[in-house]
């Protein structure tokens, strides 16, 4: 009995979060952006792959004409079809995270600007539940969007015969979207956390963006010595890190916070671009990071004073 | 009496420069620059160490006659990472600033106070654009100063005056590049009544202009599809490779056309040439570089004008005042 | 101190056949109004009647769908800059740049209104409002009542001919309301300003206004001087009762 009583306000909060996301057009905008990005990367992947196959045929003809007898088999045969999605890693790593930040940020700032925070906090549901409702609502929205991306990518591989995927590859693709969810959930929670914690709206938006820059650019650069643009090239992502003591010691110190590199490594694994065994510790790390960010938002709301809004 | 545009510009500048936002941003950009210079200097050090190791190995094996080129030090080449940061992160931050500049006015009713003054809308937007320009120029001047000091300190070599000129010129190109993104996101924020939608779309377009299109050159390069290079694994000669690629001219044209539509690509080509990061322009005169790169400069300026124009175009009373909480 | 001159002997505010539609809904129907210079005009109406829309049109913030508005003889559409030179405006719940000081905020708006002797003008205005000594404080520390006074200061710095106040008493305490009333009366008496005020507080209207207009569902259902109004409704003890009678008559 008591559980249904607790569940009811949570359900209300989640439903409200989803409804506002839909009403202010955020949801449709995000769905549009993510679906187009998925289609676009399939298009790039497919056109590059088919051109490369055609180039192989042309190369074979050229080499045969030149009298070469031993011609290497198509090197593309060793590359999984899933690799056509390689661009999605970068798009999720970068813009996916930014969009997740915006959702999390808006979630609380919207309530604050419309002046309903004191109304909500004076209800019997309690502050942690209020944040839990927001986090669950945002997660549900992200899951729906990622599921749509999965459907779009799965459908496009079914429609284009050249991009045939095996059952195992479909599962891998699903796993790729699952780890993408963990990564995005971390940034959404971060957006919410700073939204609650900082009363200055501009700084509240900027702070998680700065964390994003650190995670995606600064930490990887310090631990590999790669320039920012080469860190964003999906083709060379599986790069060997730079040598030198500075970089190896930086790598050791910074690795607990390198969520961007963790996500990239997992994504490369699931899209079968980089070989090697799956590191479950990395998945656990992403999961813990999202949970900690969510819990921190609850803590920040406990400390939150509604009178600050009236002064600001 | 000063003109209204100047009054608004001064106020924008003062308001932002005092705001914690700008101070945080400036600090962060300095940090990014420091990281990239640090990484560049450690990479160079590793290169030198490798060279010395190779040299001593050669000496040990008594092959003193063999010559390997020593890594040469060009201070401007240390800036590759910094420029790439300005390209990627600078654009994101300019987008956030553009969004906030409009969201701030939309959310409060100071815009009503402004719009009931005897000031034309053009003067109003002009003031905002000018104020932000001054702010971005201040930030860039700060970064340039930091770069000059830190590279001189690390390399113990002072910049020559042509190098300083090239650096300053590159930073002025950066101003046009960043202001384009500022105006672009301000225009979108003016255009959409729903603030978050404007920000989301700005980020999406950033993805397209800064990431997807410029990366296409690399990700769609057939030779890049196989680790180690497609042609290398096929053991073709250079001539054969060219002959094969020539058969796929349409695909190559498509790749090039996509690249041309991105402001980032023009900015990068221009600055990499000016600073000599693109090898063939290293140590070349400015005249030579400009002779080659003027189309990129022209397109960069065209994008800039389009961005500023969009901000003016979308600034109607209704749009400035319309807001959602 | 004389406010900026009108064109000839034209009324301070003249509204002819103004209609405004928004998203297919007509929110103002054929509004006609003439307010002579020197009046304190109280614009009454329930929430959503169209008072703020009317004020937005009068202050050049909004373009009406049809009809003509002249402020101090200047057309709000074709001569909006001339109009803006002659008006002061205090929106409801005024906000400022919180990181700037009182002086910086005021100087900013004064410059944009073309005021020349900025320092003297700010000093004079703050003295008029009995609010000296806060010039170098940042606005983020201010209470609602203090902000409201800065709001009035920015609206009168350039000696406008017509002052528009949108619900100026909203959120003020009784002392604040009394102070505001005194300021309005002095601005009218000592500086000859015409004042156009949207309000809910009927008791205030009775104490300050020289004429009133009543807007109901986008239509102007009544307008006359205070004096005539009292004479017309001798049986009603308060303005509130008069207002209720008008509204009921209109809706029934």
């Amino acid at each position: 009995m008591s559980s249904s009583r607790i569940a009811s306000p949570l359900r209300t909060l989640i439903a409200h979060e989803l409804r506002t996301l839909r009403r202010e057009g955020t949801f449709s905008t995000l769905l549009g952006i993510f679906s187009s990005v998925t289609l676009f990367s399939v298009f790039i992947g497919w056109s590059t792959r088919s051109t490369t196959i055609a180039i192989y045929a042309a190369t074979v003809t050229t080499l045969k004409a030149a009298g070469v007898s031993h011609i290497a088999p198509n090197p593309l045969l060793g590359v999984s079809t899933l690799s056509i999605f390689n661009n999605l890693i970068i798009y999720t790593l970068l813009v996916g995270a930014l969009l997740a930040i915006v959702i999390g940020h808006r979630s609380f700032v919207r309530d604050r600007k419309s002046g309903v925070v004191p109304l909500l906090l004076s209800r019997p549901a309690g502050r942690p539940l209020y944040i839990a409702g927001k986090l669950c609502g945002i997660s549900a929205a992200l899951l729906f969007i990622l599921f749509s991306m999965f459907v779009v990518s799965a459908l496009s591989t079914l429609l284009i015969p050249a991009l045939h995927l095996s059952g195992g590859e479909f599962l891998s693709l699903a796993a790729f979207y699952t780890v993408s969810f963990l990564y995005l959930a971390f940034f959404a929670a971060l957006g919410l956390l700073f939204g609650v914690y900082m009363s200055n709206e501009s700084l509240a938006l900027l702070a998680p963006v700065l964390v994003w820059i650190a995670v995606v650019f600064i930490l990887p650069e310090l631990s590999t010595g790669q320039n920012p643009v080469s860190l964003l090239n999906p083709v060379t992502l599986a790069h060997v890190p730079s040598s030198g003591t500075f970089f190896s010691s930086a790598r050791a110190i910074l690795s607990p916070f390198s969520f961007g590199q963790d996500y990239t490594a997992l994504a490369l694994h699931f899209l079968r671009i980089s070989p090697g065994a799956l590191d479950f510790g990395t998945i656990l790390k992403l999961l813990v990071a999202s949970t900690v960010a969510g819990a921190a938002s609850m803590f920040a709301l406990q400390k939150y004073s509604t009178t600050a809004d009236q002064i600001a | 009496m000063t003109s209204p545009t100047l009054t608004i510009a001064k106020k924008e500048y003062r308001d932002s420069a005092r705001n914690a936002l700008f101070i945080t941003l400036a600090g962060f950009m300095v940090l990014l620059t420091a990281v990239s210079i640090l990484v560049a200097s450690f990479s160079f050090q590793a290169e030198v160490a490798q060279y010395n190791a190779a040299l001593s190995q050669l000496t040990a094996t008594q092959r003193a006659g063999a010559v390997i080129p020593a890594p040469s030090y060009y201070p401007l080449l240390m800036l590759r990472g910094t420029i790439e940061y300005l390209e990627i992160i600078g654009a994101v931050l300019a987008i956030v600033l553009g969004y906030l500049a409009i969201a701030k006015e939309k959310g409060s009713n100071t815009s009503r106070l402004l719009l009931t003054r005897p000031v034309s809308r053009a003067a109003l937007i002009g003031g905002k654009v000018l104020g932000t320009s001054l702010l971005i120029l201040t930030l860039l001047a700060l970064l340039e100063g930091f770069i000059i000091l830190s590279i001189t300190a690390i390399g113990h070599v002072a910049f020559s005056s042509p190098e300083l000129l090239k650096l300053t010129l590159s930073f002025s190109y950066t101003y046009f590049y960043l202001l384009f993104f500022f105006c672009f996101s301000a225009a979108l924020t003016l255009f959409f009544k729903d603030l978050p939608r404007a920000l989301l779309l700005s980020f999406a377009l950033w993805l397209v202009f800064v990431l997807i299109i410029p990366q296409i050159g690399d990700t769609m390069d057939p030779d890049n599809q196989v680790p180690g290079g497609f042609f290398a694994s096929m053991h073709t000669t250079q001539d054969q490779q060219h002959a094969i690629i020539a058969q796929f001219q349409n695909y190559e044209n498509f790749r090039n056309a996509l690249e041309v539509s991105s402001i980032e690509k023009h900015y990068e080509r221009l600055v990499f040439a000016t600073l000599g990061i693109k090898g063939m322009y290293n140590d070349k005169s400015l005249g030579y570089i400009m002779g080659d790169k003027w189309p990129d400069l022209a397109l960069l300026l065209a994008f800039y004008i389009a961005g500023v124009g969009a901000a003016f175009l979308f600034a109607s009373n209704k749009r400035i005042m319309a807001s959602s909480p | 101190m004389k406010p900026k001159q009108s064109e000839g002997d034209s009324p301070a505010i003249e509204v002819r056949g103004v209609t405004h539609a928004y998203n297919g809904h007509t929110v103002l129907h054929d509004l006609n109004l003439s307010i002579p210079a020197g009046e304190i005009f109280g614009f009454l109406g329930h929430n959503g009647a169209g008072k703020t829309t009317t004020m937005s049109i009068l202050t050049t913030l909004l373009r009406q769908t049809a009809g003509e508005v002249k402020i101090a003889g200047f057309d709000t559409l074709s001569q909006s800059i001339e109009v803006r030179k002659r008006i002061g405006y205090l929106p409801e719940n005024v906000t400022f740049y919180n990181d700037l000081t009182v002086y910086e905020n005021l100087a900013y708006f004064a410059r944009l209104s073309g005021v020349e002797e900025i320092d003297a003008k700010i000093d004079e205005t703050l003295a008029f409002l009995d609010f000296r000594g806060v010039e170098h404080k940042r606005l983020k520390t201010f209470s609602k009542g203090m902000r409201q006074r800065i709001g009035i200061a920015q609206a009168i710095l350039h000696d406008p001919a017509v002052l528009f106040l949108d619900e100026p008493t909203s959120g003020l305490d009784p002392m604040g309301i009394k102070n505001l009333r005194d300021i309005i009366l002095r601005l009218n008496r000592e500086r000859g300003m015409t004042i156009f005020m949207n309000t809910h507080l009927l008791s205030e209207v009775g104490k300050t206004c020289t004429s009133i207009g009543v807007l109901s569902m986008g239509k102007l259902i009544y307008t006359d001087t205070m004096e005539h109004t009292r004479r017309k409704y001798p049986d009603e003890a308060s303005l509130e009762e008069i207002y209720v009678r008008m509204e009921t008559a209109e809706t029934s």
Side-chain angles (χ1 to χ4, degrees), chain C residues 3-4 85-88 155-163 193-194:
Chain C
K4 292 202 174 59
K85 281 181 188 164
R86 289 164 178 82
I87 62 170
I156 63 171
L157 266 167
H158 51 295
D159 294 311
V162 187
L163 180 61
M193 271 181 210
T194 308

Side-chain angles (χ1 to χ4, degrees), chain A residues 245-266:
Chain A
T245 42
F246 170 78
F247 296 113
S248 50
S249 39
R251 197 157 49 242
I253 298 166
L254 299 173
S255 76
F257 309 102
S258 308
F259 305 117
Q261 281 164 294
D262 294 340
Y263 168 69
T264 313
L266 288 170

Side-chain angles (χ1 to χ4, degrees), chain C residues 99-171:
Chain C
D99 282 314
L100 300 187
T101 63
V102 168
Y103 175 84
E104 286 164 338
N105 268 294
L106 291 180
Y108 177 54
F109 289 111
R111 272 191 200 105
L112 292 181
S113 300
V115 173
E116 296 195 1
E117 307 253 314
I118 307 259
D119 289 6
K121 206 66 211 169
I122 289 177
D123 193 55
E124 178 198 307
T125 307
L126 289 177
F128 178 83
L129 297 172
D130 198 16
F131 205 42
R132 265 181 167 150
V134 294
E135 289 85 338
H136 300 295
K137 287 199 173 123
R138 290 203 194 180
L139 262 107
K140 55 173 127 191
T141 57
F142 276 29
S143 71
K144 169 99 190 172
M146 290 156 94
R147 272 161 201 270
Q148 193 75 340
R149 260 199 247 192
I150 301 301
I152 294 176
Q154 65 77 29
I156 63 171
L157 266 167
H158 51 295
D159 294 311
V162 187
L163 180 61
F164 290 91
L165 307 172
D166 196 355
E167 301 287 357
T169 50
S170 137

